[in-house]
Amino acid sequence: MWVAASAAYSLANDERRWDTGEVVELMRSVRALDAQRGRLRRAVGARPALAGLAFFLAIAIALLIAKGANAFGQTTVFGVVSGSYFALGAVGLTIVYGVLRLVNFAHGDFLTFGAYMAFVINVTVGLPLIVAVLFAIATTGAVGVGLELFMWRPMRAKGAGMLPLLLMSIGLAFVIRNGIQMVAGTGERNLRVNVTSTIAFLGLRIGRTELIVVLTSVVVLTLVGLMLRFTSLGKQMRALADNAELAEASGVDTNRIILATWLLAGGLAGLAGVLYASAVGVFTPDLGFLLLLSLFAAVILGGIGDAYGALAGGFLLGLIQEWSTLVIDARWKVAVGFAALIITLVLRPQGIFGRARAI
Amino acid sequence: MAEAAVRVPGRGDEPSAAADRDDAILTVSGLELRFGGVHALAGTDLDVRRGSITALIGPNGAGKTTLFNAVTGFYRAERGVVLFDGQPVLGRPPHAIARLGMARTFQLTKTLAAMPVLDNMMLAAPDQPGERLANVVLHPRRWRAREDVVRARALALLDTFDLRDQAYAYAGTLSGGQRKLLELARVLMLEPRLILLDEPMAGINPALAQRLLEHIHALREREHVTFFFIEHDMDVVMGQSDRVVVMSQGEVIADGTPERVSRDARVIDAYLGSVEDDR
Amino acid sequence: MTLSSISFSAFGQAEFWIGVGVLAGIYGIFVLGLQLNVGFTGIINFGQVGFMSIGAYAMAILVLKAHWSFWLSLPAATAVAVATGLLIGLPSLRLRADYFAIATIAFAEIIRYVAENARGLTNGNIGLLGFDSSWVSVSNSIQGWLSTSEIQLPLLLVTWGLFGVLTVVMRRVQGTPWGRVLRAVREDEDAARALGKNVFSYKLQSLAIAATLGSLAGYLLALDLAFLSPDQFDPSVTFTGYAVLILGGLASYVGIAAGTAILWVLLEGTRFINLPLSAEQIAALRFVIVGAVLIGLMAFRPQGLFGKREEMVLGG
Ligand SMILES: Nc1ncnc2c1ncn2[C@@H]1O[C@H](COP(=O)(O)OP(=O)(O)O)[C@@H](O)[C@H]1O
Ligand SMILES: [Mg+2]
């Protein structure tokens, strides 16, 4: 085996001349070697999602054994809580990418916008939080639609390439974040939510608000998933993401679907912003900017453009970040998420579930 | 130690000795490549004789472009052997293969629109020391001298291809046909021994196509360049090539002189049949 | 609301404008690296501030913790920045352009978290002080020699002197066969490969040089502020750099000087408009301006002031 490997090596790296017969001979032994190595790789390659899941479970079990059920359980609860707003934010980000091939750097600031809109209704005006949530969803969705009409659509019509669109979204991020800061200041704000009362079960604690946040997120994400799979709108979105030209040729009203995409992405971002603000308790105009890269991490973990992937990626990221606090100091947890982002990009740019399909 | 297990063939042989033994400049055997479920190359075997003008034909999707991409290192074949002038090239990166003397053009021209025509040409010149940063700083005279030689050769070639007047225009301003000419002229700057052309005549007017063919023949006569080209126009294939290789579904189904191939029942079946289907 | 008026008196404050000039020069050097990457190689580097941060911190740590000479620490810190550039480039330069952009911004953010949290080395958010005494004595003698009372004038001269020299060098290098290969890579990697060019190696070289330029900008920023803290290196530095880059024009080294001068006058000029705004609001307004400049340029003049429309290969 070793002989074959080194023969293959010298074959690839030597400048000397070989005739066909000898090479074929050599290739035969190399092939035998390849077959052995190939078996393991194929086993992993055939079911990348399962392999990824197995790896993830192995880590979970190792942590569970090493750190004890309670510590592990508690970090898992925290991970699910942050995962729930990561997932909401990431789904919108990834759908926009899937449909428009636009990496929207302003998406994080959509979350900020949603949180402040909720603040206006919930605190300034003094209406109940549920009204504030609906208002945040509506206004942030409207911002998404408005920007599509006045910015992205004209740019697409000009045939703008990747860099101009990237930089435009970054410019937009600056304007939204600092616009909010000019109006609202940099001071910490909080919504009128109960952040003190907690619920305990099996020795684990979860804030009452946090529980509501998780439940809301799970319900909304399920609805979005069903919408994408079963409604005509969802099918057209997926068609557009899969192959824009083909979708257009088969009668999909591209502009209408794109508007719906922005409405959905904006609405989800607005909701995610409010949920974040509720779960964490305080927020500043930096909220979305600080979250953006984590949202990218969730999107990339799940495979960019894949809505179900982003959903899984969001919860995965939450768990990775919180579990990391069992091993290293909690102040590193955000950086751990970024490292997971880079590692995923380098090793599996199609995402750990490895689905090449968009949305 | 492991080295000993490998017989070392003909180390120190002169290149010409190898050439005499084996008349093929390019040998492909058992080449395999899959895209998902599609077996784009299913054990392709062929060779291209030194100094020939060999045509590669086959229905759309036969794997012709994929073969070019695998042979020149742009795609990674899963198995098989490719020998260029007696050297195995599979697994080498595209730039290394190009430097060995096997150059290629693309089905959709890849002229560099944001660079002047002359820069397109000069870019392709091999052995320019000024492409290394260290030499740029340490040996300015050496690369400038080479640059003068390269420029002269580029202008001469542009002259041959009637592009001299456009030398300083951005390549993006050229017509489609002129771009094809530029791509061929540019590939010649590499001083290759074998040129793979992917549908060089597609989409250019007949007069220009005629000129392109004249250039190809002249280069073969004068510079002993071997040509291996993909073409759909049967008149061109039958009239201009010495040998024809026919591919279908990733395999070579016929190989021989134009006359022999055009009478081959399998070719008529697989190729002409499916061409009709396409219409 | 009354119409805002401009207080012209403030324009006379030399000290203030020298400070603005120093910053503009630092950003100029910073953006030379971005121009090489984005304008001439077609790689979208969103992590340039990471190299700036590494250069500045490595220099300060070598001086303060390892007690190296300041002058020796400069090349050493640049070497650290270049090594990091190679380390991040080796795995990620093979990625698609947008993935690479995301990978580099993540890299820069990780660097910032390290600066914040590796407190033993960096003092975290308290920051580092006192690494610049060697420079201060040189600066003082230049000041005496010029017989000026402006403390920052020597730094201004050094910064713009260096910026000028580097601009000329980068332009010269761009005109060589090496620069020609970069432009080919920028437009079509496969075409460059087919012509025998090792695309990956050129992209790596481009990133390494950008890292070098970033580290130089980092030293100057450290000397300007006489202080280092993680929040000086957040991603908005990179994106302010992009505003300078696009304002001056892609694929134009000369444009950078104009771009940085214009942007900084615009940013600092807001101080002299008597808006009924708090300091906090003014700070936010500056970034609104950066954002608006980016949006406006992309919408109406993507080639910037000096860029060539013909060379807008990343999509204009
Ligand atoms: N990059 C690719 N990804 C997936 N499938 C491909 C790719 N390139 C070619 N194919 C498929 O491989 C087959 C051969 O294609 P190609 O070599 O382009 O054919 P030809 O050049 O003979 O028309 C086709 O079925 C084509 O769809
Ligand atoms: Mg083809």
Side-chain angles (χ1 to χ4, degrees), chain B residues 60-61 64-66 107 198-199 230 232:
Chain B
N60 268 328
K64 304 181 297 293
T65 298
T66 304
Q107 190 165 354
D198 197 345
E199 305 199 16
I230 299 173
H232 279 304

Side-chain angles (χ1 to χ4, degrees), chain C residues 13 31 72 77 80 84 93 112 152 154-155 157 163 171 175 197 201 208 213 219 223 236 250 259 266 284 286 316:
Chain C
Q13 295 170 4
V31 174
L72 209 61
V80 174
T84 317
L93 272 171
R112 188 163 68 94
Q152 290 290 67
L155 188 61
L157 297 178
F163 177 33
R171 257 179 71 105
K197 313 305 175 202
S201 157
L213 291 162
Y219 308 148
L223 295 181
S236 61
L250 278 178
L266 204 61
R286 292 164 45 140

Side-chain angles (χ1 to χ4, degrees), chain A:
Chain A
M1 220 162 72
W2 167 242
V3 173
S6 80
Y9 175 80
S10 56
L11 185 61
N13 289 283
D14 265 22
E15 303 283 320
R16 76 173 94 96
R17 284 156 192 287
W18 300 71
D19 64 38
T20 318
E22 281 161 325
V23 172
V24 171
E25 190 78 19
L26 209 52
M27 288 310 292
R28 219 167 272 149
S29 57
V30 173
R31 221 169 280 170
L33 178 72
D34 260 359
Q36 288 182 358
R37 261 192 324 199
R39 234 162 276 149
L40 177 64
R41 200 176 304 152
R42 262 196 305 280
V44 174
R47 296 242 180 283
L50 274 188
L53 217 59
F55 178 68
F56 194 64
L57 279 179
I59 287 181
I61 292 167
L63 284 174
L64 176 64
I65 293 169
K67 301 292 169 179
N70 196 273
F72 178 77
Q74 192 58 58
T75 51
T76 305
V77 168
F78 290 148
V80 169
V81 171
S82 42
S84 65
Y85 49 79
F86 285 155
L88 268 182
V91 166
L93 186 57
T94 214
I95 289 180
V96 165
Y97 181 85
V99 171
L100 291 162
R101 297 290 181 266
L102 169 70
V103 180
N104 182 17
F105 274 79
H107 193 78
D109 301 284
F110 284 14
L111 270 71
T112 317
F113 185 80
Y116 277 87
M117 285 299 111
F119 179 86
V120 168
I121 296 299
N122 184 232
V123 178
T124 315
V125 181
L127 293 176
L129 188 63
I130 179 69
V131 182
V133 168
L134 294 176
F135 183 73
I137 293 174
T139 47
T140 316
V143 166
V145 168
L147 288 169
E148 158 64 13
L149 291 177
F150 294 107
M151 230 168 90
W152 305 120
R153 189 176 291 178
M155 287 303 280
R156 274 202 308 282
K158 281 193 212 174
M162 179 195 294
L163 183 67
L165 295 180
L166 275 181
L167 292 180
M168 214 161 185
S169 77
I170 287 166
L172 184 62
F174 272 52
V175 170
I176 296 177
R177 166 155 63 113
N178 293 287
I180 291 173
Q181 190 170 318
M182 280 183 74
V183 177
T186 49
E188 290 187 343
R189 307 276 172 167
N190 42 282
L191 298 172
R192 288 193 309 171
V193 291
N194 181 340
V195 288
T196 47
S197 90
T198 59
I199 296 166
F201 61 96
L202 299 175
L204 302 178
R205 287 171 297 104
I206 182 167
R208 201 171 65 92
T209 309
E210 287 176 331
L211 186 61
I212 296 171
V213 163
V214 172
L215 293 177
T216 311
S217 166
V218 168
V219 168
V220 170
L221 286 168
T222 308
L223 289 177
V224 171
L226 292 174
M227 188 281 282
L228 284 174
R229 178 137 297 176
F230 296 112
T231 67
S232 147
L233 179 68
K235 283 177 189 163
Q236 291 186 63
M237 274 184 190
R238 286 189 292 147
L240 206 55
D242 268 350
N243 185 337
E245 277 169 33
L246 196 65
E248 211 162 344
S250 52
V252 173
D253 180 351
T254 320
N255 276 334
R256 197 177 67 88
I257 300 302
I258 290 175
L259 278 182
T261 302
W262 277 113
L263 189 65
L264 178 66
L268 289 175
L271 177 62
V274 185
L275 294 189
Y276 174 89
S278 311
V280 176
V282 292
F283 59 97
T284 63
D286 282 345
L287 176 168
F289 165 73
L290 295 175
L291 271 180
L292 179 68
L293 219 48
S294 295
L295 299 185
F296 278 139
V299 163
I300 302 273
L301 275 169
I304 194 164
D306 180 341
Y308 305 111
L311 196 162
F315 284 102
L316 207 56
L317 179 72
L319 291 174
I320 290 173
Q321 285 191 359
E322 294 300 334
W323 284 350
S324 78
T325 63
L326 292 172
V327 187
I328 53 174
D329 195 289
R331 60 181 195 234
W332 291 104
K333 72 179 177 188
V334 181
V336 167
F338 300 164
L341 162 67
I342 293 186
I343 291 169
T344 311
L345 271 179
V346 169
L347 297 183
R348 278 192 80 78
Q350 72 273 44
I352 50 174
F353 305 111
R355 284 192 291 192
R357 205 166 47 86
I359 291 203

Side-chain angles (χ1 to χ4, degrees), chain B residues 99 113-114 123 130-131 147, chain C residues 178 180 183 187 196-197 202 311:
Chain B
R99 281 188 207 158
L123 171 71
E131 287 180 359
E147 197 77 338
Chain C
W178 182 82
R180 188 166 60 208
R183 280 186 296 149
E187 185 172 348
K197 313 305 175 202
Y202 282 92
E311 297 200 11

